[in-house]
Amino acid sequence: MPRPARFRPALSRRARLGATTVAALVAGTAVFGVGQATAEHSVPRTDKEIPNLTQVQDKIKAYYGDTVTADGEHYASPHSNYARQVRGIEAKARTYLSKALARHDRAGKKSEQAKPAIVLDMDDTTLLTYNYELRVGFHYTEESQDKYLAHTDMDPVFGMNRLVNWAHAKGAEVFFLTGRKEAQRDWSVRNLKNVGYGVPLDRRHVYLKNKENPPAYLPCGATCTTVEYKSGTRKHIESLGYHVVANFGDQYSDLSGGAGDRTFKLPNPMYYLP
């Protein structure tokens, strides 16, 4: 989620909730079954092919175990189906990383070798946007996101802070790669620190999208697609002497384009980012 975008109009980088859900149903794919909105944009032939938007939102709330505080704030439950699904993905990642990092450690003692690294997206991969989504009624705007991030910390995606800290302690260099704009850097770093990501969070380890001054290692410059931006940055990380053993994201565009041994897809039924 780039990562800043949320429920934008259909022609923008994020497909609206209704559009993605409709497309999924027209294509015969249940959004809630796969945990990811589809990229299809088929035009419904009749109203019967369009799900009721309120019912879709209710299913999303149920999946996240919507919990409302006394002051009306909405949070996802650690006992929800979403949390259970995330824990299963984390368990597989930990098993894989245990072996991958051990292999690197053994090989490194015998010869010079690139240091192992993991790359993680931010929104809905390491930081959970659910409270923001409910606060704005699933209606993303740049202004509302800036206002939220400036003063509010998103919760960590359940267990991801522990997984990241564990991987770092086992020898993995940790890089965050997000589509959030460069102007949101201080807020993003503050949030990661405050919710327990105890890894280096300097400019060498946290990459945000800078359209005004794109880095020279991205030939596409300010016009990069999400896949070009993310895969190009991973390749840049590897050029610095690292080997990306695992790449984590909630969108398939976070994971495409190469430069990474293994990908781990976090669930996100709310929006699609091409």
Side-chain angles (χ1 to χ4, degrees), residues 57-117:
Q57 291 179 352
D58 287 344
K59 285 188 176 183
I60 289 175
K61 292 178 181 178
Y63 169 63
Y64 282 92
D66 187 54
T67 303
V68 186
T69 63
D71 56 357
E73 293 288 341
H74 292 256
Y75 294 94
S77 168
H79 307 294
S80 63
N81 287 338
Y82 166 76
R84 282 191 282 272
Q85 188 175 356
V86 167
R87 284 195 292 271
I89 295 166
E90 290 166 356
K92 292 178 181 178
R94 186 179 289 251
T95 298
Y96 162 75
L97 286 171
S98 294
K99 297 176 181 177
L101 296 176
R103 284 195 300 269
H104 263 270
D105 185 56
R106 289 193 299 270
K109 291 177 180 178
K110 297 178 181 179
S111 62
E112 287 191 12
Q113 183 174 321
K115 183 174 182 178

Side-chain angles (χ1 to χ4, degrees), residues 132-200:
Y132 164 76
E133 299 284 12
L134 271 291
R135 186 181 290 190
V136 300
F138 298 109
H139 180 63
Y140 164 87
T141 65
E142 287 193 3
E143 294 77 12
S144 69
Q145 193 197 44
D146 281 348
K147 183 178 179 180
Y148 185 95
L149 295 178
H151 303 288
T152 309
D153 285 335
M154 293 178 175
D155 289 337
V157 170
F158 297 112
M160 283 301 291
N161 50 355
R162 294 189 294 275
L163 178 67
V164 167
N165 294 342
W166 169 84
H168 186 251
K170 291 291 183 179
E173 199 76 9
V174 177
F175 295 93
F176 295 91
L177 173 55
T178 175
R180 288 186 181 188
K181 57 191 178 184
E182 178 63 33
Q184 296 173 328
R185 176 178 294 278
D186 289 346
W187 305 333
S188 301
V189 168
R190 179 211 69 217
N191 195 160
L192 289 168
K193 286 180 178 178
N194 287 349
V195 298
Y197 287 95
V199 297

Side-chain angles (χ1 to χ4, degrees), residues 40-74:
E40 293 289 337
H41 294 288
S42 303
V43 178
R45 292 166 295 179
T46 72
D47 64 305
K48 294 180 176 63
E49 294 176 339
I50 305 175
N52 181 279
L53 186 57
T54 299
Q55 292 178 340
V56 172
Q57 291 179 352
D58 287 344
K59 285 188 176 183
I60 289 175
K61 292 178 181 178
Y63 169 63
Y64 282 92
D66 187 54
T67 303
V68 186
T69 63
D71 56 357
E73 293 288 341
H74 292 256

